[in-house]
Amino acid sequence: MAASCTQRPALQSNSSEQNRFMEKLMAKILRFYDQQSLIDVTFKVSNPTAVVPAHRLILAAASPYFENLFKGKQGNNPVIEINYIDSDTFERLITFCYTGEAPITVNNVGAMLKAAIVLQLDDAINSCVDCIMKNITERSIQVAYVLERETQCERLKQKLIEYEIKNFMEISRGVEFLSFDVEKLQRILESDNLNIPREEDAYDAIKRWFNYDVPARQEPLPHLIACLRLTQFDADFLLTHIQPLPGCELLAFKAISWIREPAARTKISMRFTEPRATCEETFLVICRSEMNYKLLQYNKAEDKWQEYASLEIDYTNYWPILKDENILFIGGYKNGVSCNIVRSLNIRNKTWQNLPAMNQARRGHRVVELDGKIYAIGGLEGNKVLSSVERYTPSDGWESVSSLIVERHSAGAVTLNNKVYIMGGTNTPLRALKLVECYNPDSNIWTSCADMTECRVLPHVKVHKGHIYVLDTYSANSSQSVERYDPQHNIWSKIYCLNADWARIAGMSLDNKLWLFGRFTSEDILNISFYDEDDERWVKKCSLPNGRKCFCRVVPIALLSLK
């Protein structure tokens, strides 16, 4: 009896000797193939007709298809007909059985993949899929989708999902996305590596997919919404966007309870409570010292601030706003003149782009985003106080909308319940305002709301649990000067709270903690701390030195390019 190949001779115990042996063996086999020596099977292939000689043992070792073929009834025939693969493709794959390589190109990869699946050549399938993904473009991905549906190739399906996870923002805006089946979309949304700047982007994609065929997609909608990291939304977003969706009321209730009642979290069953790995967030701050601007990022692990970019900005009084992957600098003041310029800084690649200028120059204005649209409100043009308002969309540029009832600058502005609110400010050098107005984009009308209890210039405003909170930025007694607006009853009420209590309202949220960017000290340093709910105390962190904070936002770490 012949020795088993698993009982390897001493010769093969040495890896270098074994490699040399295998190289010599394969070289001999390839020579037999090239010379058509010791051939024991020939395939007759059509389209165009050709004969392809081969060795049964090699093909059977390379593919279960050939192994089963040669064990079957026609396996002993010296000539075997193949009618379902064209001759060029078949010959390339026979060569692959010998060499592990084949000339796969973007032009033949579809035919090669289909044939490799039939012939059960797993390594060839992998090579085809790798070729497809290596050459993927906006146009070729449509071909890849068709090919995946035709072949039901699991590896191609998996690689496409990996691509969709990595390029989700682009994919979710495409037409093909609207036809994704529920299982596929759920696999994508469940991924902790879903590449999105904000969790809201995943919500927007689900909503777009759902609206494409509402009757057929109502039943699976809650399963997709459950894939979101719901605890990363604030309560107002959950109430206004998640709760109204069919079948999602309980999901919204659980997430709100999780946010508002930390002590009860062990009793609340939720699929995901942590942010995605790609959505890990940090602070990004613009600081100004004299006319030097720097973009600083907070390193949470080392508790220190690092320079992310040096900014060349030769004007002041602009209003910055975070929009997707960009910081938009809108309006401002340069050489004694108000500006209408709009510049966009891409956070990821640190490049500037000029956007269409506003219709009117503004400084001391306020900017908010609502439903993907940017609103520039009031401000100053020279010494003229403005009541005009304009709105920007990439498709339409800047267009005027209804003006404020009362002109103003240095006000506060927020969005709540799909409306824009502006409060306080001033319209003469000596007159502060307590007037409040609300803009409804559906009717394009500003309406007066109840006045604040006090006049306020440059107020600090924050939406919290369906209410608007206002704090004077420069009040000497700011801890005693907070008021809250109830939009449902159109009522302002004054509330008295300690600084720590105010920080829970006006502070920024990061890692499910509330952070306070405190006042500047005499050394021009901004104190920073977060609230430890378990110990009910404020924990001081690394302060932000050297300059005044012009802008601070929580951004995904994935947006920040590697240094």
Side-chain angles (χ1 to χ4, degrees):
M1 174 182 277
S4 171
C5 288
T6 59
Q7 299 173 348
R8 302 191 176 199
L11 168 68
Q12 297 186 26
S13 63
N14 184 298
S15 59
S16 61
E17 292 182 4
Q18 181 180 356
N19 289 338
R20 283 196 295 271
F21 174 82
M22 295 303 296
E23 288 174 3
K24 289 171 61 178
L25 180 64
M26 288 307 302
K28 193 71 172 178
I29 291 172
L30 290 175
R31 194 174 305 120
F32 286 153
Y33 178 66
D34 289 339
Q35 296 173 354
Q36 297 188 18
S37 177
L38 303 178
I39 294 297
D40 55 3
V41 66
T42 301
F43 295 94
K44 184 179 180 181
V45 195
S46 57
N47 191 28
T49 301
V51 291
V52 181
H55 301 88
R56 295 174 189 268
L57 180 62
I58 300 299
L59 301 190
S63 160
Y65 171 87
F66 287 116
E67 181 181 3
N68 294 327
L69 175 66
F70 297 143
K71 288 180 178 179
K73 291 182 179 179
Q74 69 177 106
N76 292 323
N77 295 342
V79 177
I80 300 175
E81 290 193 15
I82 300 291
N83 299 315
Y84 37 82
I85 300 174
D86 69 82
S87 56
D88 288 341
T89 300
F90 186 80
E91 189 166 7
R92 291 190 189 103
L93 290 175
I94 293 299
T95 302
F96 186 91
C97 292
Y98 285 83
T99 65
E101 297 178 353
I104 302 172
T105 68
V106 292
N107 295 323
N108 68 24
V109 67
M112 290 286 284
L113 177 62
K114 292 176 182 178
I117 291 173
V118 172
L119 300 180
Q120 297 177 262
L121 290 167
D122 291 343
D123 291 333
I125 292 171
N126 293 343
S127 297
C128 289
V129 172
D130 290 344
C131 176
I132 291 170
M133 300 312 300
K134 182 179 178 180
N135 296 282
I136 206 78
T137 64
E138 185 176 352
R139 184 174 181 179
S140 68
I141 195 171
Q142 304 302 323
V143 178
Y145 282 135
V146 173
L147 194 58
E148 186 272 321
R149 284 193 289 267
E150 290 178 351
T151 62
Q152 294 294 299
C153 176
E154 187 59 35
R155 179 171 173 82
L156 179 56
K157 182 178 183 180
Q158 180 57 41
K159 286 296 183 180
L160 283 172
I161 288 177
E162 292 175 8
Y163 179 86
E164 290 152 355
I165 288 171
K166 185 177 180 180
N167 301 274
F168 184 76
M169 295 300 293
E170 177 185 354
I171 293 293
S172 64
R173 298 185 183 114
V175 175
E176 182 72 25
F177 175 79
L178 300 176
S179 301
F180 280 9
D181 60 59
V182 175
E183 179 186 358
K184 178 186 181 75
L185 187 51
Q186 187 167 336
R187 285 178 66 180
I188 293 170
L189 293 169
E190 287 174 339
S191 173
D192 192 45
N193 295 315
L194 187 65
N195 190 17
I196 51 175
R198 310 171 306 154
E199 194 65 23
E200 286 86 345
D201 295 312
Y203 163 81
D204 291 339
I206 294 175
K207 195 71 184 297
R208 181 169 178 259
W209 177 88
F210 172 68
N211 288 336
Y212 184 71
D213 190 357
V214 172
R217 295 177 174 178
Q218 283 198 23
E219 184 177 346
L221 179 63
H223 298 289
L224 298 178
I225 293 296
C227 296
L228 297 175
R229 280 40 174 179
L230 294 171
T231 58
Q232 303 309 304
F233 299 124
D234 58 37
D236 179 60
F237 185 94
L238 292 165
L239 285 169
T240 56
H241 293 83
I242 303 298
Q243 187 174 17
L245 296 175
C248 297
E249 298 86 352
L250 182 58
L251 290 171
F253 173 76
K254 286 182 176 181
I256 292 170
S257 300
W258 177 280
I259 294 168
R260 292 180 174 175
E261 302 175 29
R265 288 176 180 175
T266 56
K267 302 176 183 178
I268 302 172
S269 174
M270 298 194 68
R271 289 193 63 189
F272 304 101
T273 57
E274 297 295 326
R276 301 178 196 273
T278 52
C279 285
E280 186 181 357
E281 296 176 318
T282 190
F283 293 116
L284 198 63
V285 175
I286 299 174
C287 280
R288 177 171 67 90
S289 178
E290 300 301 329
M291 287 304 293
N292 296 318
Y293 290 83
K294 292 182 178 180
L295 198 57
L296 304 179
Q297 71 177 87
Y298 179 57
N299 184 322
K300 293 186 292 182
E302 300 180 20
D303 185 29
K304 68 179 183 181
W305 291 89
Q306 299 172 320
E307 181 175 333
Y308 179 69
S310 179
L311 306 180
E312 295 184 6
I313 305 176
D314 59 355
Y315 58 103
T316 60
N317 292 115
Y318 52 80
W319 191 267
I321 186 170
L322 184 67
K323 174 65 175 170
D324 299 328
E325 297 185 359
N326 306 286
I327 302 174
L328 273 56
F329 296 76
I330 300 176
Y333 193 64
K334 182 177 181 179
N335 299 329
V337 179
S338 299
C339 306
N340 66 345
I341 60 176
V342 181
R343 300 182 70 201
S344 173
L345 172 66
N346 184 277
I347 298 173
R348 193 185 298 275
N349 56 35
K350 306 177 187 178
T351 56
W352 288 93
Q353 178 184 5
N354 290 323
L355 297 183
M358 290 186 293
N359 297 323
Q360 190 156 29
R362 302 174 190 272
R363 63 182 174 92
H365 54 301
R366 289 298 173 261
V367 178
V368 297
E369 180 185 5
L370 179 63
D371 194 24
K373 302 177 178 65
I374 304 293
Y375 290 81
I377 308 168
L380 287 164
E381 184 180 23
N383 294 322
K384 178 185 177 183
V385 183
L386 302 174
S387 63
S388 64
V389 181
E390 48 190 308
R391 177 174 63 199
Y392 173 78
T393 57
S395 57
D396 299 327
W398 289 97
E399 55 181 356
S400 297
V401 298
S402 290
S403 297
L404 293 166
I405 300 170
V406 176
E407 67 278 3
R408 67 186 79 198
H409 66 91
S410 304
V414 292
T415 62
L416 176 62
N417 299 333
N418 204 39
K419 295 178 181 177
V420 178
Y421 288 85
I422 189 162
M423 56 221 67
T426 181
N427 55 13
T428 68
L430 299 177
R431 183 189 174 203
L433 301 174
K434 59 182 178 181
L435 303 175
V436 180
E437 298 180 35
C438 172
Y439 176 73
N440 186 332
D442 295 331
S443 61
N444 189 29
I445 293 176
W446 288 91
T447 56
S448 295
C449 302
D451 292 350
M452 292 185 291
T453 61
E454 293 185 17
C455 297
R456 301 178 186 273
V457 180
L458 293 172
H460 187 147
V461 296
K462 178 75 174 180
V463 171
H464 180 67
K465 295 183 179 180
H467 293 75
I468 299 173
Y469 289 78
V470 180
L471 168 71
D472 280 344
T473 303
Y474 297 113
S475 172
N477 192 28
S478 62
S479 64
Q480 302 295 315
S481 183
V482 181
E483 57 185 302
R484 176 177 62 203
Y485 178 65
D486 180 350
Q488 185 175 357
H489 299 99
N490 191 30
I491 296 174
W492 286 93
S493 55
K494 207 162 188 178
I495 60 174
Y496 298 90
C497 56
L498 300 173
N499 283 336
D501 292 326
W502 166 249
R504 297 179 194 177
I505 299 166
M508 305 189 75
S509 176
L510 179 67
D511 296 339
N512 283 324
K513 294 183 176 69
L514 290 156
W515 294 68
L516 170 63
F517 284 65
R519 295 185 181 185
F520 288 95
T521 66
S522 57
E523 291 82 20
D524 208 24
I525 293 176
L526 188 63
N527 290 320
I528 300 169
S529 56
F530 73 84
Y531 185 65
D532 187 332
E533 292 182 351
D534 295 332
D535 295 336
E536 296 184 347
R537 66 189 181 97
W538 287 93
V539 179
K540 189 174 181 180
K541 304 298 284 186
C542 182
S543 297
L544 188 66
N546 302 325
R548 293 191 174 273
K549 172 178 70 73
C550 306
F551 168 88
C552 180
R553 289 293 184 273
V554 175
V555 301
I557 291 177
L559 276 186
L560 307 178
S561 62
L562 298 176
K563 298 178 81 70

